[in-house]
């Protein structure tokens, strides 16, 4: 997006400002593969252009430009894609039901290994160049960046595919017919950690190289992330049982990995180069407006180029429908199809500003006005999912719009790693290694948690004290914080895998949808109390059996007077405005588009009628309403197919009302009681090797996990 190729030769002496705006976009790019074995780098400018080529491989849509942000974020209690098909689908990745012929798997695999190969060629070419000198800080920084990009790709391949083909040398070293051996994931993780340890010694901090480049703190943070993953649980194949989906295991020496994770997360913290943005949403608003903050929350942002790469803010945020390829305004079409679970907003603490900021219940479309001209309006989103309002091309301030005929390739950066993640990784790793939560671990959790309560920090003191009372309570608090903090960042399902809690959370996610559908046909599921307790509510004051069937709203006018003037004023000091029910949502910078004032999005079924809504001194407004949670089939007395089949590969309901859980491909009766879920089958989150990769390998590669 911004400083892509302006990478100064004497960068150690050229510290950049902490906030930067749009500049050039990889103007000079040479793919490393364009260099033959005989070519030798003779100038630093050649190396710089080749490194930009490595970055370019990471930014394609089949890898981090789109697939990582949407296609391969699996369903959970946070992110959600809805399915209504009662049958196997080769591309149902999010619901754990796919096969090795799915095209997106092949595309992601190919793109990831192209990035790895580009990095391998670049690293070897630089190391054999006469310019290679460990005392040359520029050369060593560039080598470190390539090693980080390679480690990113390998790490994500391991998380998604388990044991994968692995090597650090270019393909040309072994010949065209050579098949890269599959390595055990722990072998890969160890190699990546050691490689990054060496690379990080010579790398510069982001205040020198920008967060759009891999920096010392990113290398250290990536070590922590890989180590935390290596020390956690993962799905392992049972190779002598072709039908088995595998077994969840962690290595016997897992504590060693947690020690590495703690040490390297601590290195980032103690360096003092980053701090949390005081206003949670501003990190994402800055990204939507092409602003770079090198000492804030982002540790590494994928550096997309405007109108060239990256669908950030096109697939997230509210939908904005186009008419004949154009929109009424100059921001262009927005798909808004990277969604969040409809019940996610009920899992937050009261007054958590992230709830209102992130969960979007409105979208935009066009209509023909009384003059016969096209105009746009805002509509409420009554659906199985809500929009993720962290990023949107619509949040771009006037003057920086992409154009009425533009869709994706927004150039909005995506935060691959944030400082909040570093703090919470430290807290989690430290807690695993100690008998009780340490003071520093509790401070790290409090930093992230308290930012979400700018006007209610004191109210959260009791919660944080309770979280610090035991190792188990603290682990749950850290995982909950990550749940609230990282929506849409491809983190939640990975956290659940690592902590071996994915199966349980999917069960409850399924039951929320199922119970809402059953209530809609007048037959409570019987799981309501269990859901309420699991979600932190008391049985008789829970939300799942009191969902508002009718939600009231009207278009938000920024000039509306507010009877709660003092509270509104304080909120605005922090960059927030106040909703009608006194909850907070972010002040998006683009005031061209209206949003909706939602009256009872969290209320009970016994909501007042339209005529009784006055809400203090709000000026007279037409309150509209929409019916929510109409998810029952009145003919069958069952929930809709969307409620029954969106977790199809793990748990589903048949047309006869029976709930089944899937173990090694076979249907198994749903647990009679939710009091003990210790015998749940593992979630088959692991993806299969692409079929054509297996074919080309002539039998060297083989799929397990029941594929």
């Amino acid at each position: 997006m911004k400083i892509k190729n302006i990478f100064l030769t004497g960068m150690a002496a050229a510290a950049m400002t902490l906030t930067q705006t749009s500049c050039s976009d990889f103007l000079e790019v040479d793919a490393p593969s364009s260099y033959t074995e005989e070519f030798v780098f003779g100038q630093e400018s050649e190396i710089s252009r080749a490194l930009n080529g490595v970055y370019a491989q990471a930014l394609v849509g089949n890898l981090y430009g789109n697939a990582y942000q949407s296609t391969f974020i699996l369903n959970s209690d946070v992110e959600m894609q809805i399915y209504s098909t009662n049958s196997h689908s080769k591309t149902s990745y999010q619901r754990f039901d796919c096969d090795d012929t799915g095209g997106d798997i092949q595309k992601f695999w190919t793109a990831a290994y192209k990035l790895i190969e580009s990095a391998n060629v670049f690293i070897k070419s630089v190391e054999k160049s006469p310019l290679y000198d460990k005392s040359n800080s520029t050369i060593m920084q560039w080598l470190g960046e390539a090693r980080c990009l390679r480690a990113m790709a390998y790490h994500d391949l391991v998380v998604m595919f388990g044991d994968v083909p692995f090597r650090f040398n270019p393909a040309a070293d072994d010949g065209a017919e050579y098949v890269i051996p599959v390595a055990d994931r722990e072998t890969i993780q160890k190699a990546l950690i050691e490689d990054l340890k060496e690379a990080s010694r010579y790398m510069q901090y982001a205040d020198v190289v920008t967060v759009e480049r891999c920096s010392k703190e990113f290398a250290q943070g990536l070590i922590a992330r890989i180590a935390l993953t290596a020390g956690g649980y993962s799905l392992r194949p049972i190779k002598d049982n072709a039908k088995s989906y595998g077994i969840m295991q962690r290595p016997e020496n897992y504590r060693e990995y947690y020690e590495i994770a703690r040490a390297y997360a601590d290195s980032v913290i103690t360096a003092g180069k980053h701090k949390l943005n005081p206003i949670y949403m501003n990190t994402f608003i800055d990204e939507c407006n092409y602003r770079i903050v090198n000492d804030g929350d982002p540790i590494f942002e994928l550096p997309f180029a405007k109108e060239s790469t990256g669908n950030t803010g096109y697939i997230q945020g509210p939908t904005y429908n186009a008419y004949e390829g154009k929109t009424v305004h100059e921001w262009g079409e927005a798909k808004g199809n990277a969604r969040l679970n409809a019940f996610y907003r009920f899992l937050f603490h009261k007054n958590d500003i992230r709830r209102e900021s992130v969960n979007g219940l409105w979208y935009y479309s066009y209509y023909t006005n009384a003059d016969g001209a096209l105009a746009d309006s805002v509509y409420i989103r009554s659906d199985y999912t809500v929009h993720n309002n962290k990023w949107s091309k619509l949040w771009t301030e006037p003057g920086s719009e992409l154009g009425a005929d533009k869709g994706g390739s927004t150039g909005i950066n995506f935060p691959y790693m944030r400082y909040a993640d570093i703090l919470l990784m430290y807290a989690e790793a430290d807690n695993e290694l100690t008998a009780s939560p340490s003071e520093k671990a509790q401070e790290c959790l409090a930093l992230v948690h308290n930012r979400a309560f700018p006007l209610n920090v004191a109210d959260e003191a009791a919660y944080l004290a309770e979280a610090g009372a035991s190792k188990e309570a603290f682990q749950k608090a850290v995982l909950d914080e990550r749940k609230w903090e990282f929506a849409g960042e491809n983190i939640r399902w990975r956290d659940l895998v690592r902590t071996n809690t994915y199966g349980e959370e999917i069960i409850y996610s399924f039951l929320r949808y199922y119970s809402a559908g059953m209530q809609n046909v007048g037959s409570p599921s019987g799981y309501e109390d269990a859901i309420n307790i699991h979600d932190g509510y008391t049985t008789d004051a829970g939300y799942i059996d009191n969902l508002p069937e009718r939600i009231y709203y009207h278009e938000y006018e920024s000039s509306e007077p507010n009877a709660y003037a003092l509270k509104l004023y304080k909120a605005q000091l922090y960059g927030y405005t106040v909703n009608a029910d006194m909850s907070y949502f972010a002040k998006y910078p683009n005031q061209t588009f209206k949003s909706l004032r939602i009256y009872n999005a969290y209320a009970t079924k016994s909501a007042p009628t339209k005529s009784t809504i006055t809400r203090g001194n709000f000026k007279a407004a037409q309150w509209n309403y929409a019916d929510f949670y109409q998810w029952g089939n009145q003919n069958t007395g069952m929930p809709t197919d969307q409620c029954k089949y969106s977790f199809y590969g793990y748990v589903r309901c048949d047309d006869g009302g029976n709930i089944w859980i899937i173990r090694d491909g076979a249907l198994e009766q749903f647990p009679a009681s939710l009091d003990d879920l210790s015998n749940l089958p593992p979630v088959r989150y692991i993806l299969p090797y692409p079929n054509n990769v297996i074919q080309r390998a002539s039998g060297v590669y083989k799929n397990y996990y029941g594929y």
Side-chain angles (χ1 to χ4, degrees), residues 512-649:
R512 293 183 192 105
Y513 281 94
Y514 174 80
S515 295
M518 290 301 292
Q519 289 181 65
N520 186 229
V521 296
S523 301
S525 69
Y527 295 106
E528 286 82 5
D529 286 353
I531 295 169
N532 287 327
I533 293 171
H534 178 81
D535 292 348
Y537 294 80
T538 58
T539 301
D540 57 354
Y543 74 96
I544 197 68
D545 46 1
N546 288 293
L547 291 169
E549 295 178 345
R550 180 161 288 176
I551 289 181
Y552 295 85
Y553 66 93
H554 69 76
E555 292 185 0
Y556 171 71
E557 299 288 350
S558 60
S559 60
E560 281 191 41
N562 194 305
Y564 308 97
L566 179 59
K567 193 165 188 178
L568 175 62
Y569 170 71
K570 289 181 178 179
Q572 288 175 332
L573 288 179
Y574 286 93
Y576 298 96
T577 189
V578 179
N579 207 346
D581 64 356
M582 299 315 298
S583 54
Y584 311 112
F585 61 92
K587 291 178 66 179
Y588 302 118
N590 181 1
Q591 299 301 309
T592 302
F593 301 104
K594 295 179 180 180
S595 60
L596 294 182
R597 186 177 292 284
I598 310 292
Y599 170 56
N600 63 328
Y602 309 95
T604 64
K605 290 181 178 180
S606 57
T609 62
K610 283 196 329 187
S611 61
T612 66
I613 299 176
T614 58
R615 301 306 295 167
N617 292 330
F618 289 123
K619 71 178 184 180
Q622 176 62 48
W623 285 90
N624 301 300
Y625 63 82
D627 292 331
F628 271 61
Y629 313 109
Q630 305 300 299
W631 299 344
N633 185 321
Q634 302 301 325
N635 294 324
T636 64
M638 294 297 298
T640 59
D641 289 349
Q642 289 87 340
C643 294
K644 293 190 292 186
Y645 305 133
S646 288
F647 300 92
Y648 184 83

Side-chain angles (χ1 to χ4, degrees), residues 374-668:
L374 287 179
D376 58 21
S377 187
V378 59
Y379 302 88
I380 197 162
R381 175 65 74 187
S382 175
D383 204 350
Y384 295 93
T385 54
V386 301
H387 293 290
N388 179 356
N389 277 358
K390 276 185 176 177
W391 307 274
S392 175
K393 62 191 301 187
L394 308 182
W395 306 160
T396 303
E397 294 166 353
S400 298
E401 318 95 282
L402 289 170
D405 60 340
K406 296 297 190 298
S409 297
T410 62
I412 295 171
N413 282 359
F414 184 83
Y416 186 82
M417 183 176 290
R418 296 197 281 120
Y419 186 55
D421 192 12
I422 299 291
L423 292 168
L424 294 177
M425 284 195 292
Y426 177 90
E428 180 179 345
D430 183 77
N431 184 61
E432 184 67 34
L433 295 168
T434 56
S436 61
S438 69
E439 182 178 349
K440 183 167 183 176
Q442 293 184 66
E443 289 174 354
C444 288
L445 173 62
L447 280 172
V448 179
H449 187 79
N450 286 339
R451 176 173 65 167
F453 299 87
L455 305 182
N456 303 86
V457 171
D459 296 343
E460 295 303 301
Y463 166 76
L464 290 170
E466 184 178 344
S470 71
K471 182 177 182 178
E472 293 72 25
F474 193 75
Q475 181 189 34
K476 183 181 186 306
V478 170
L479 288 175
D480 281 346
E481 202 65 43
R482 295 177 68 84
K483 172 178 65 180
W484 302 321
E485 181 72 18
F486 298 118
E489 297 182 52
N490 207 338
I491 285 179
R492 176 60 173 171
W493 72 268
R494 296 168 181 236
D495 286 348
L496 296 174
V497 166
R498 187 182 70 250
T499 55
N500 200 20
T501 53
Y502 204 5
E504 180 178 345
E505 290 304 330
I506 291 175
I507 291 294
Y508 279 100
S509 294
F510 166 81
L511 288 176
R512 293 183 192 105
Y513 281 94
Y514 174 80
S515 295
M518 290 301 292
Q519 289 181 65
N520 186 229
V521 296
S523 301
S525 69
Y527 295 106
E528 286 82 5
D529 286 353
I531 295 169
N532 287 327
I533 293 171
H534 178 81
D535 292 348
Y537 294 80
T538 58
T539 301
D540 57 354
Y543 74 96
I544 197 68
D545 46 1
N546 288 293
L547 291 169
E549 295 178 345
R550 180 161 288 176
I551 289 181
Y552 295 85
Y553 66 93
H554 69 76
E555 292 185 0
Y556 171 71
E557 299 288 350
S558 60
S559 60
E560 281 191 41
N562 194 305
Y564 308 97
L566 179 59
K567 193 165 188 178
L568 175 62
Y569 170 71
K570 289 181 178 179
Q572 288 175 332
L573 288 179
Y574 286 93
Y576 298 96
T577 189
V578 179
N579 207 346
D581 64 356
M582 299 315 298
S583 54
Y584 311 112
F585 61 92
K587 291 178 66 179
Y588 302 118
N590 181 1
Q591 299 301 309
T592 302
F593 301 104
K594 295 179 180 180
S595 60
L596 294 182
R597 186 177 292 284
I598 310 292
Y599 170 56
N600 63 328
Y602 309 95
T604 64
K605 290 181 178 180
S606 57
T609 62
K610 283 196 329 187
S611 61
T612 66
I613 299 176
T614 58
R615 301 306 295 167
N617 292 330
F618 289 123
K619 71 178 184 180
Q622 176 62 48
W623 285 90
N624 301 300
Y625 63 82
D627 292 331
F628 271 61
Y629 313 109
Q630 305 300 299
W631 299 344
N633 185 321
Q634 302 301 325
N635 294 324
T636 64
M638 294 297 298
T640 59
D641 289 349
Q642 289 87 340
C643 294
K644 293 190 292 186
Y645 305 133
S646 288
F647 300 92
Y648 184 83
Y650 189 74
V651 58
R652 59 184 184 254
C653 177
D654 64 23
D655 293 337
N658 302 300
I659 301 176
W660 304 98
I661 195 164
I662 290 76
R663 188 186 299 271
D664 295 339
L667 299 182
E668 184 178 283

Side-chain angles (χ1 to χ4, degrees), residues 124-178:
K124 182 172 182 180
S125 298
V126 171
E127 289 179 341
K128 73 178 184 181
S129 167
L131 298 175
Y132 175 61
D133 182 349
K134 287 189 175 181
S135 66
N136 185 324
S137 60
T138 302
I139 296 293
M140 297 308 293
Q141 168 65 27
W142 288 341
L143 278 172
E145 292 181 50
R147 286 189 164 98
C148 285
L149 293 171
R150 178 173 66 184
M152 277 175 54
Y154 269 131
H155 169 67
D156 290 319
L157 283 168
V158 165
V159 170
M160 295 164 61
F161 294 91
D163 306 333
V164 296
F166 174 70
R167 68 173 172 195
F168 277 167
N169 59 301
D173 289 0
D174 299 309
E177 301 302 318
Y178 181 73

